[in-house]
Amino acid sequence: MESLNQTAAQEFIFSAFPYSWGDSVMCFVPLLFIYTFIIIGNLVIISVVQLNAHLHTPMYFFINALSFLEIWYTTATIPKMLSSLLSEKKSISLNGCLLQMYFFHATGISEVCLLTAMAFDRYLAICSPLHYPTIMTPQLCAQLTLSCCVCGFITPLPEIAWISTLPFCGSNHLEHIFCDFLPVLRLACTDTQTIIMIQVVDVVHAVEIVTAVMLIFTSYIGIVAVILRIRSAEGRRKAFSTCVSHLTVFLLFFGSVALMYLRFSATYSLFWDTAIALAFAVLSPFFNPIIYSLRNKEIKEAIKKHMGQAKIFFHQSRDPK
């Protein structure tokens, strides 16, 4: 009996996925399309920025880094979602669950830090344009990006290490579409320490989110104050247009993340938990390449240029004469 319980505790079964084959396929196809689009879209942005010397600026350096993180952020969860939709058991091992939680939160926190650094970059570009080139050097950009990743990959380690020591007894049905702190903690053997640690996890997430939001909000207060002092409407439009993409991504990502991680004692139904999780784990990364390509004139023009070059190359290869 003891070995049976031990075996059961070594895996979790996702109970938020549909169990009928027809419903699973209906969810699988659009999710596969979205994941493919995210990977290709971000790879296009990375390639375009790397291939065009005029895009080697701090703003595009950060966009490049964000696209790279987005690929790994979605890869931490979506491939397992896809396999679970087509699998009969829809299970994940305990170690696999811990790894998924770690990489999902590590890349997610890295993105939060990077979006904060991008707000600082826009603040300097608009509020201190004369000092901007000497302050925001390539070395500083690299240091900020590295610091964001170090912060992102260190912050979740204590929580993951603590969860790995917990005993899991009773049901192993995880009411979520991927492994996350609160759904997993609910499956731990309930005691006072676990309840206290759940509250600690809530507070940690709240501090991370609120700190980033406050820093970004402060940056945009300064940006708006400077933009409003610009006399010409065209000047104001140009200044604000450099921030629109970042601001849109920030609102989209942080809005859904706040709904999930700033709930404290509030509970949602399984439907709303799943919908909110899809918003920040799938839909937000899906819209990011669209926002940064369609809302950015320089990236659009660079993509058109390379598509034109590709067409010429293919025509020449098909017709050597």
Side-chain angles (χ1 to χ4, degrees):
M1 186 68 180
E2 186 180 344
S3 63
L4 184 63
N5 288 338
Q6 185 70 19
T7 304
Q10 293 305 305
E11 69 174 15
F12 299 117
I13 297 172
F14 296 111
S15 59
F17 291 108
Y19 276 85
S20 72
W21 177 252
D23 291 342
S24 294
V25 171
M26 283 180 65
C27 294
F28 177 86
V29 173
L31 186 59
L32 178 62
F33 168 78
I34 289 171
Y35 181 59
T36 305
F37 179 84
I38 290 169
I39 300 300
I40 294 173
N42 283 298
L43 285 175
V44 166
I45 290 173
I46 291 170
S47 302
V48 165
V49 171
Q50 290 296 322
L51 292 171
N52 290 270
H54 71 283
L55 296 181
H56 293 176
T57 62
M59 183 175 79
Y60 291 106
F61 180 90
F62 290 126
I63 289 174
N64 211 22
L66 184 66
S67 293
F68 179 78
L69 284 172
E70 286 277 66
I71 291 172
W72 295 107
Y73 175 71
T74 51
T75 300
T77 55
I78 297 181
K80 184 60 184 175
M81 290 186 211
L82 290 169
S83 66
S84 295
L85 283 167
L86 298 184
S87 170
E88 223 175 276
K89 201 173 180 185
K90 308 181 190 303
S91 63
I92 186 170
S93 68
L94 176 58
N95 289 335
C97 189
L98 292 171
L99 280 172
Q100 186 181 69
M101 277 194 294
Y102 174 69
F103 283 107
F104 177 70
H105 282 274
T107 51
I109 294 168
S110 298
E111 283 193 31
V112 167
C113 295
L114 192 62
L115 285 169
T116 308
M118 291 169 78
F120 173 66
D121 170 67
R122 291 299 83 208
Y123 173 81
L124 284 178
I126 292 171
C127 300
S128 301
L130 297 178
H131 298 99
Y132 178 71
T134 56
I135 297 173
M136 195 58 73
T137 60
Q139 291 79 8
L140 181 60
C141 291
Q143 288 167 359
L144 285 171
T145 304
L146 182 61
S147 300
C148 291
C149 292
V150 169
C151 176
F153 279 81
I154 288 177
T155 303
L157 275 176
E159 292 170 283
I160 298 296
W162 169 67
I163 291 173
S164 68
T165 65
L166 293 176
F168 292 95
C169 52
S171 173
N172 64 341
H173 285 258
L174 193 68
E175 293 190 340
H176 211 45
I177 52 174
F178 56 84
C179 290
D180 206 356
F181 290 129
L182 292 183
V184 171
L185 285 172
R186 290 191 193 111
L187 299 182
C189 297
T190 306
D191 56 23
T192 306
Q193 184 189 12
T194 303
I195 294 169
I196 292 170
M197 286 306 296
I198 288 173
Q199 293 171 344
V200 170
V201 168
D202 281 341
V203 171
V204 169
H205 289 153
V207 170
E208 291 168 357
I209 296 165
V210 171
T211 301
V213 169
M214 290 303 295
L215 289 171
I216 293 172
F217 185 67
T218 304
S219 297
Y220 273 101
I221 288 175
I223 289 169
V224 170
V226 170
I227 289 175
L228 291 176
R229 289 201 295 267
I230 298 174
R231 293 184 178 180
S232 68
E234 181 64 18
R236 288 195 296 270
R237 188 193 65 79
K238 281 185 178 178
F240 192 69
S241 67
T242 64
C243 305
V244 170
S245 296
H246 174 265
L247 191 57
T248 306
V249 169
F250 160 69
L251 292 172
L252 186 64
F253 183 70
F254 276 82
S256 52
V257 165
L259 283 173
M260 179 60 77
Y261 296 111
L262 293 183
R263 67 173 76 184
F264 293 102
S265 59
T267 56
Y268 304 138
S269 66
L270 180 59
F271 171 81
W272 285 112
D273 259 346
T274 305
I276 295 167
L278 284 171
F280 69 81
V282 178
L283 294 181
S284 178
F286 172 72
F287 286 116
N288 286 359
I290 298 172
I291 292 166
Y292 278 118
S293 57
L294 294 182
R295 294 288 310 176
N296 192 297
K297 186 179 177 182
E298 290 179 308
I299 287 184
K300 274 197 296 186
E301 288 177 352
I303 291 172
K304 285 178 184 176
K305 183 186 81 171
H306 289 295
M307 287 179 66
Q309 290 172 344
K311 284 180 182 178
I312 293 170
F313 174 79
F314 283 122
H315 281 307
Q316 287 177 343
S317 61
R318 288 176 63 185
D319 187 13
K321 295 180 182 179

